[in-house]
Amino acid sequence: ALGFATLAQACTGIRLIAKDGAVIAARTLEFGFDLHSQVLVVPAGTPLTGTLPDGGKGISYKTKYGFLGANAEGMTAIVDGINDQGLYVGLFYFPDYASYADVTAENAARALAPYEYANWLLGNFASVDEVKANFNKAVLVPTVVAAIGQAPPVHFVVHDRSGKSLVIEPVNKTLKIYDNPLGVVTNSPTFDWHMINLRNYLNLSAINVPPLNLGGMKLAQLGQGSGLHGLPGDFTPPSRFVRAVAFSQSALPSATAREAVLQAFHILDNFDIPYGAVRDVEGGQVHAEVTTWTSVSDLQNLRWYFRTYGDQSIRSVDLAKAMAAAGGKIKLIPMGSEQTIEDVSTDFE
């Protein structure tokens, strides 16, 4: 569990808005081992139940909306996904700060595991405003995931097709909610700390620094990018948060949703972890974190895009098509595939 805790802290999330109004939510998923993620398709009308720490049943509900996205370790639980109303929810690791409620006789019927919270949000709500009005009607309790030996410490980002965004964090055994005007999220510490930390980087700009005259001598920049000199380049959550804000806010708006989807993938290339660049040693064994997959969600056209460490080609899942093909049943679509390399040696004009 310790290796998991120290090697799951590098997820980065951004939001873009295209000129045609399309809202694009995107994120990376980093881990120290393969989560065996698949695309989980959950139709509207599916009965779901929360899981208590003792294995008992918590909250029970039937999904009002259909949703899909990536799961982990074969669980019927969304790590990152969208519903048929254009609501997006993403789980992000939140070590050392996540704190879940104790199960009591009073709250057991409203309780669920942290990794089941995205299902509840996507299955029941259509917008950020609805989530804001109802987010604490469910209770997050410390249900352990066997594969990692602990209740995963997570917090959540929520976007909708209007462009509104918020972050929900389990702190001091209760849920705290923040508006997220920039649409960015990483990991620990708490979201409000990250927003305050941005004030340390007010000097940064996407515009190059003009030449400076010193003692009659003109000193010009050595090359492009001088406005962002000092931008933190490491993989810690605070540095990634600052970088994600800088890149998403300076991005020139794409004309269409499709262009913004591709732009989001390009931005997140800057957060891709080269294998071996981030590692920990536990019991003499080296654990290297890697960008397991990257996803982009088009909240206007209801498409969920992804690429994986093993296959950088972009694949998509159209929510309407997937729901129609699922026939009202929970279905899984494989994400694992092998990268193809196309030989164009003789593809002359």
Side-chain angles (χ1 to χ4, degrees):
L2 178 60
F4 173 87
T6 55
L7 279 171
Q9 300 182 16
C11 304
T12 303
I14 61 171
R15 180 203 58 200
L16 301 177
I17 300 177
K19 289 181 179 178
D20 67 1
V23 176
I24 307 300
R27 61 92 55 81
T28 64
L29 188 285
E30 278 76 22
F31 236 73
F33 59 87
D34 189 0
L35 286 174
H36 306 105
S37 290
Q38 297 172 290
V39 180
L40 175 68
V41 180
V42 181
T46 301
L48 294 175
T49 305
T51 308
L52 302 180
D54 64 0
K57 293 183 178 180
I59 193 170
S60 292
Y61 61 98
K62 186 175 288 188
T63 59
K64 183 177 179 181
Y65 306 114
F67 57 88
L68 60 77
N71 71 355
E73 294 295 338
M75 295 188 293
T76 304
I78 290 287
V79 174
D80 178 271
I82 58 174
N83 73 10
D84 58 25
Q85 301 300 300
L87 187 75
Y88 164 92
V89 180
L91 276 70
F92 287 73
Y93 219 57
F94 192 47
D96 300 324
Y97 289 85
S99 172
Y100 302 120
D102 299 318
V103 179
T104 65
E106 290 73 31
N107 69 19
R110 297 188 294 121
L112 41 66
Y115 56 84
E116 296 168 331
Y117 189 54
N119 285 5
W120 183 74
L121 293 175
L122 292 170
N124 288 291
F125 307 114
S127 67
V128 161
D129 288 342
E130 284 188 18
V131 170
K132 189 179 290 189
N134 295 281
F135 76 100
N136 57 1
K137 291 182 180 177
V139 177
L140 273 59
V141 294
T143 303
V144 172
V145 174
I148 60 174
Q150 64 172 324
V154 290
H155 59 172
F156 310 85
V157 66
V158 183
H159 308 291
D160 67 19
R161 64 199 316 169
S162 76
K164 290 183 179 180
S165 178
L166 55 82
V167 169
I168 302 171
E169 295 185 333
V171 179
N172 296 326
K173 299 187 177 185
T174 190
L175 292 176
K176 193 164 186 180
I177 193 167
Y178 303 92
D179 286 321
N180 184 9
L182 302 179
V184 169
V185 68
T186 57
N187 314 101
S188 300
T190 56
F191 181 75
D192 55 343
W193 184 96
H194 284 290
M195 294 299 288
I196 292 170
N197 184 52
L198 286 177
R199 300 184 186 189
N200 288 315
Y201 299 92
L202 299 179
N203 60 299
L204 297 179
S205 171
I207 301 172
N208 289 324
V209 175
L212 182 67
N213 285 307
L214 287 177
M217 182 174 64
K218 184 179 180 181
L219 297 177
Q221 57 181 316
L222 292 173
Q224 297 296 310
S226 58
L228 288 177
H229 185 71
L231 182 71
D234 61 82
F235 289 109
T236 62
S239 294
R240 284 184 290 103
F241 193 97
V242 173
R243 250 189 354 271
V245 169
F247 295 152
S248 61
Q249 289 295 307
S250 64
L252 295 173
S254 299
T256 64
R258 185 181 185 279
E259 291 174 15
V261 165
L262 297 177
Q263 184 181 42
F265 275 112
H266 279 299
I267 290 174
L268 290 180
D269 282 340
N270 293 276
F271 300 88
D272 219 33
I273 297 180
Y275 188 60
V278 175
R279 50 186 159 172
D280 216 336
V281 179
E282 182 185 354
Q285 187 176 3
V286 176
H287 301 273
E289 181 150 327
V290 70
T291 304
T292 305
W293 47 259
T294 300
S295 72
V296 177
S297 299
D298 177 353
L299 306 188
Q300 180 184 64
N301 299 297
L302 302 182
R303 293 191 182 104
W304 190 80
Y305 299 80
F306 69 96
R307 67 184 184 200
T308 65
Y309 180 81
D311 188 351
Q312 290 286 291
S313 59
I314 298 172
R315 285 160 283 166
S316 70
V317 183
D318 182 291
L319 188 143
K321 289 180 182 178
M323 291 301 167
K329 297 180 181 179
I330 294 177
K331 296 287 187 178
L332 294 168
I333 300 170
M335 289 177 65
S337 59
E338 186 174 340
Q339 180 76 54
T340 58
I341 301 177
E342 185 180 358
D343 184 350
V344 297
S345 304
T346 58
D347 289 2
F348 302 122
E349 290 184 353

